[in-house]
Amino acid sequence: MRIQDISTFDQIAKALGISTGYLRRLLFEERDNFYTEIEIPKKNGDSRKIFVPSDELLQLQKKLNTILISSFNPSSRAFGFVQGRSTVQNASLHLKKKYILNIDLLDFFPSISSGRVRSMFINYFKLSSIVASTLTNLCCHPDGFLPQGAPTSPTISNILCKTLDKELINLARKLGKITYSRYADDITFSTNSTFSRKLVRRNNGEICLGNELIEIVEKNGFEINSSKTRLQNNNQHQEVTGIKVNRKLNIDRRFIRKIRAMLFSIESNLDDLSIPATKFAESDYKGDSIGRLMKVIKGMISYVGMVRGKNDALFIGLAKRFNKLLLVVDQFKDEKPIVIDSGLSQLPNLVCVVPQTNIQLWKKDNEMNIFSEIDYGQGTGFLIKGIGIVSNYHVFEFVIDSIKDGFLPRETEYFVNLRFGASQSKKISAKISFFSEELDLVILIPEDQIILNNGFERELREPEQNETITLLGYPDFSEGDQLKMERGDYLRTTFSKKVEMYEISPIIFAGNSGGPIINKSDKVIGIATEGRRIALNRAIPIKYVDEEKLTTLTYTLFKF
C-alpha cells in the first residue's frame, strides 16, 4: 500500500491494522503520553534530546513508516535513513578530493514543524485535510515538531528535503565540477578544482558561505549551524560523516583504540567480567551488562569492516579476538560470531575479467561528427584497496591512443565494462584514469567507488629468490570459467628498458595480462605483463602502481 491510496480516517486505521475506535482513543486520550524525553551525551559535552514513543505509538509508527518508504523515491544524493545506502557510500563520493566543505543543519528534526509535515501530506501526497491532520498527529510531538526518536521522522525528513537536495545539486552543477551529498543534517560539497567564491570563500581565516547557498537552505526551512562549518583541503584531515577520505576510506584511530581497550579489558578480566562492564558503562558505552557491552563491541567491529572492507587485516584481527571470546566465556555462547571470509573465497571478488569489447568513440573533423569502432580486452584486472582497478596498458592500448587523438565517449566516461565474482556476475563500470605505456600499466576508477573499500594490499618489499607466489587471472576466457590460480616461484629480478621486472615460473597465457601475483600473505607483489610469446614470464613490481609515476588520462563526453 502507498500513502496516496488513503483517503479516509477509516482507511488509516485499516492500513495500520487497528480499529477506528482504537485509533481515536490513542489520538484523543493518550496523546499527552505519546513520548518520554531522555537526554544522551554528545561528543562535545552537550546533550541530545531523544523522544521515545510509547509502545502503542511505536508499533503504529513502524507500520506507517513502511508505508511512507514505499510511497516516494528519495533523492539520489540522500544517504541517511535510506535502505541500501550508508555513511560509507556517502563518504566514498568525496574520496580523494582536493577540497571538501562540510555544513551542518541546526536542530534538524525539531526545526521541522508539524505545520510543514501536514503541508507535506496535503501538497506532496495530495491527501485530504482530515487524513493529513491525523497522520501528522501520529508522527509529530504534541508540542508541534518532528521528534528525534520516532521511526517516521527520518523518512519524513527525507521527503521534506527532496527540494533542498534538488536545488543544492543544481547549485553544485552551476558553480563547477562540484559533488554534493547529504546524510540527514550533514551536507557535503567536494571538488578537485577550486570552489567558486559564490559557494564558499575564506575572509581573514573565516569561512564565508555564498548567499545563494544560504538562501536555498533557509528557503527550505532550515538554518546552518555555523559552528560546525568546515572547509578542508587535501593536506588536512578530511572527514565526511565520521569517515576519513583523504587517500582511502578510513576510521579515526581513537575509534580503533576504543575497540582494542574494550577487548583488552574483557580478555584481562575473564574471572570477573563486572570490571569491564562497569568501567565502560561509566564511559557512556551503554555496557550496563557484559552481554550488552559485547553487542556494542560487535557493532563497532562490524562498522570497521564496513568502512575498511571485510578482507582488511585490521578488521579480521579484531573480529578474531571477538570470536575467540565467544568460545572461552560461557555467558557469550549464544552470541553469534562475526563472519570472516577466507582469503580464498574473497579472491574472485577482487580479480576481474576485462572481456573483449567493441566501443564507439567520437570526434569532430571539419565540423563533421565521425566515430571509430575500437576494441579493448581480453585481459585481467584486480582491485587495490583505496587506489583503483589495475591492469595492463596493452589491454586498453587502442582506446587510450584514440582518446589521445581526440576521440571521446558519447554516453558516459565510465565506458569500460569489468566483471567480478565467482561467475563474473558482478558488473562494474569504470573509467581509465592513469596509464603508462613504458610500465604497461593502467589504473581504472570505478563509477561506484565504494568497492574500493575492498581490495588487495601491496607488498612493497622485493621478494626473496624462489619465494612461493600465485598468479591469478582469466587466461583464454570463456563464459563460466573459474578464476585460475597457478602456484609457482619468484625466480629473479631483471631489467627491460631500465624498468625492473620480476621473472616468475607460472606461465602467463593470453588473457592473463594484468592479473595479480600474490605472496603467501595474499599481498600483491606484481602484475602479469609478458608471457610465453617471449619465452620469459615477467611481472611489473607493484611499487610502480603509483599515480605520480603514471600519466593522467583526461577526457570528457562527446557533444554533438
Side-chain angles (χ1 to χ4, degrees):
M1 167 176 269
R2 300 188 311 152
I3 206 79
Q4 295 92 325
D5 300 327
I6 298 175
S7 58
T8 65
F9 185 89
D10 290 356
Q11 287 179 347
I12 296 175
K14 185 177 180 180
L16 298 178
I18 56 175
S19 67
T20 54
Y22 181 92
L23 182 56
R24 283 194 179 92
R25 179 187 65 80
L26 198 67
L27 289 170
F28 295 108
E29 297 179 18
E30 300 294 333
R31 196 152 186 262
D32 290 340
N33 302 316
F34 269 0
Y35 296 96
T36 300
E37 181 181 332
I38 62 172
E39 291 190 357
I40 60 173
K42 294 182 179 181
K43 292 180 182 178
N44 62 4
D46 294 337
S47 61
R48 175 181 286 112
K49 290 183 179 180
I50 301 295
F51 297 88
V52 182
S54 67
D55 291 342
E56 288 180 301
L57 180 61
L58 179 64
Q59 296 308 312
L60 298 188
Q61 287 179 337
K62 285 181 177 179
K63 293 177 182 178
L64 180 55
N65 191 50
T66 300
I67 297 171
L68 284 170
I69 289 171
S70 66
S71 303
F72 87 109
N73 294 316
S75 166
S76 62
R77 292 308 170 98
F79 288 86
F81 320 120
V82 179
Q83 189 172 10
R85 302 182 192 176
S86 66
T87 55
V88 174
Q89 289 175 310
N90 181 55
S92 68
L93 285 176
H94 308 284
L95 183 66
K96 294 197 287 190
K97 293 297 182 74
K98 190 173 181 180
Y99 293 101
I100 291 178
L101 172 64
N102 302 105
I103 296 171
D104 179 80
L105 300 180
L106 184 67
D107 297 332
F108 184 58
F109 287 109
S111 70
I112 299 173
S113 68
S114 56
R116 287 181 66 190
V117 175
R118 185 175 181 275
S119 295
M120 175 199 76
F121 284 123
I122 293 173
N123 298 322
Y124 185 78
F125 291 115
K126 309 301 179 186
L127 301 180
S128 67
S129 177
I130 189 169
V131 170
S133 296
T134 303
L135 294 176
T136 299
N137 287 332
L138 286 172
C139 297
C140 289
H141 192 278
D143 290 342
F145 59 87
L146 197 63
Q148 184 168 1
T152 45
S153 294
T155 304
I156 289 172
S157 72
N158 275 336
I159 299 170
L160 287 170
C161 284
K162 285 195 71 170
T163 302
L164 173 70
D165 291 328
K166 182 179 179 180
E167 292 180 354
L168 291 180
I169 289 169
N170 290 337
L171 178 66
R173 288 173 178 166
K174 184 175 77 172
L175 297 181
K177 292 185 176 181
I178 298 173
T179 300
Y180 162 82
S181 72
R182 181 181 59 83
Y183 192 97
D185 55 353
D186 289 329
I187 289 174
T188 306
F189 295 92
S190 64
T191 183
N192 274 324
S193 54
T194 302
F195 280 127
S196 166
R197 291 177 62 83
K198 293 182 179 180
L199 182 73
V200 63
R201 70 186 190 280
R202 283 192 183 273
N203 185 13
N204 295 324
E206 183 180 352
I207 301 171
C208 300
L209 301 178
N211 290 335
E212 189 171 358
L213 170 57
I214 295 172
E215 287 169 6
I216 289 173
V217 172
E218 292 181 350
K219 182 181 68 173
N220 281 276
F222 297 103
E223 181 182 346
I224 293 171
N225 185 352
S226 58
S227 67
K228 291 188 175 181
T229 300
R230 301 192 312 274
L231 180 59
Q232 313 152 8
N233 64 44
N234 54 7
N235 292 319
Q236 299 171 303
H237 174 88
Q238 292 179 320
E239 188 175 291
V240 176
T241 47
I243 299 173
K244 189 177 178 181
V245 294
N246 290 70
R247 294 286 298 172
K248 63 180 182 179
L249 299 184
N250 211 341
I251 294 172
D252 192 297
R253 295 175 189 170
R254 291 169 294 183
F255 187 83
I256 302 300
R257 285 199 291 266
K258 288 172 185 175
I259 299 174
R260 286 175 170 154
M262 288 172 158
L263 290 171
F264 179 77
S265 183
I266 296 173
E267 292 163 345
S268 304
N269 294 283
L270 293 176
D271 294 334
D272 188 359
L273 293 174
S274 65
I275 295 174
T278 302
K279 175 181 178 180
F280 290 103
E282 293 171 352
S283 301
D284 297 317
Y285 280 94
K286 300 180 182 178
D288 52 347
S289 70
I290 193 64
R292 173 63 178 156
L293 180 59
M294 285 294 285
K295 290 184 185 299
V296 170
I297 297 172
K298 184 178 183 179
M300 294 172 75
I301 296 174
S302 297
Y303 179 69
V304 173
M306 183 175 74
V307 174
R308 294 176 61 105
K310 294 300 175 65
N311 70 322
D312 176 73
L314 174 62
F315 163 73
I316 292 172
L318 294 172
K320 284 181 176 179
R321 287 177 67 182
F322 177 87
N323 291 346
K324 185 177 179 180
L325 287 173
L326 301 186
L327 296 175
V328 299
V329 180
D330 286 340
Q331 284 179 250
F332 304 154
K333 64 183 179 181
D334 293 330
E335 183 67 53
K336 292 183 180 179
I338 298 172
V339 176
I340 304 173
D341 290 329
S342 69
L344 195 62
S345 67
Q346 277 288 304
L347 291 178
N349 295 320
L350 306 181
V351 182
C352 65
V353 177
V354 184
Q356 186 163 353
T357 306
N358 179 268
I359 61 169
Q360 287 185 352
L361 296 177
W362 293 74
K363 82 172 189 177
K364 288 188 181 293
D365 187 21
N366 294 324
E367 301 304 318
M368 293 184 62
N369 298 326
I370 62 172
F371 70 88
S372 176
E373 292 195 347
I374 304 158
D375 288 336
Y376 66 82
Q378 184 247 314
T380 299
F382 63 96
L383 278 165
I384 293 184
K385 187 174 180 180
I387 293 179
I389 301 165
V390 175
S391 189
N392 283 151
Y393 171 87
H394 72 258
V395 175
F396 299 95
E397 181 175 4
F398 299 128
V399 172
I400 294 171
D401 285 346
S402 296
I403 291 175
K404 288 162 64 178
D405 287 340
F407 284 89
L408 299 171
R410 178 179 169 184
E411 296 178 354
T412 175
E413 296 176 30
Y414 298 89
F415 60 83
V416 177
N417 295 310
L418 307 170
R419 290 160 59 182
F420 287 85
S423 58
Q424 302 88 49
S425 58
K426 185 177 180 180
K427 297 180 180 179
I428 297 294
S429 298
K431 67 177 180 179
I432 305 168
S433 292
F434 305 95
F435 72 92
S436 171
E437 182 176 4
E438 181 185 23
L439 297 173
D440 196 19
L441 283 176
V442 295
I443 298 178
L444 302 100
I445 302 300
E447 186 172 17
D448 182 3
Q449 294 192 26
I450 194 171
I451 71 168
L452 297 182
N453 295 346
N454 291 316
F456 289 103
E457 301 284 350
R458 296 182 291 172
E459 181 60 85
L460 297 177
R461 68 166 179 83
E462 185 169 318
E464 298 178 4
Q465 202 157 20
N466 297 318
E467 181 176 332
T468 300
I469 51 95
T470 303
L471 169 65
L472 306 176
Y474 290 95
D476 301 317
F477 175 73
S478 296
E479 290 292 334
D481 283 357
Q482 292 181 321
L483 175 66
K484 184 178 181 180
M485 309 179 195
E486 185 177 354
R487 284 281 175 91
D489 299 318
Y490 157 77
L491 301 177
R492 60 174 179 160
T493 296
T494 63
F495 287 85
S496 175
K497 299 178 182 179
K498 297 184 179 181
V499 175
E500 284 185 37
M501 304 287 278
Y502 291 162
E503 185 180 340
I504 60 175
S505 63
I507 298 174
I508 302 172
F509 291 95
N512 222 137
S513 296
I517 294 106
I518 61 175
N519 60 17
K520 285 184 177 180
S521 301
D522 289 342
K523 291 185 176 182
V524 179
I525 67 161
I527 306 99
T529 179
E530 296 175 341
R532 55 183 178 174
R533 62 187 174 87
I534 64 165
L536 295 176
N537 299 287
R538 299 202 291 192
I540 311 152
I542 194 64
K543 68 180 180 182
Y544 288 119
V545 178
D546 183 338
E547 293 174 9
E548 295 183 1
K549 294 181 171 68
L550 308 179
T551 301
T552 301
L553 185 65
T554 303
Y555 55 91
T556 58
L557 295 182
F558 179 78
K559 295 181 180 179
F560 279 86

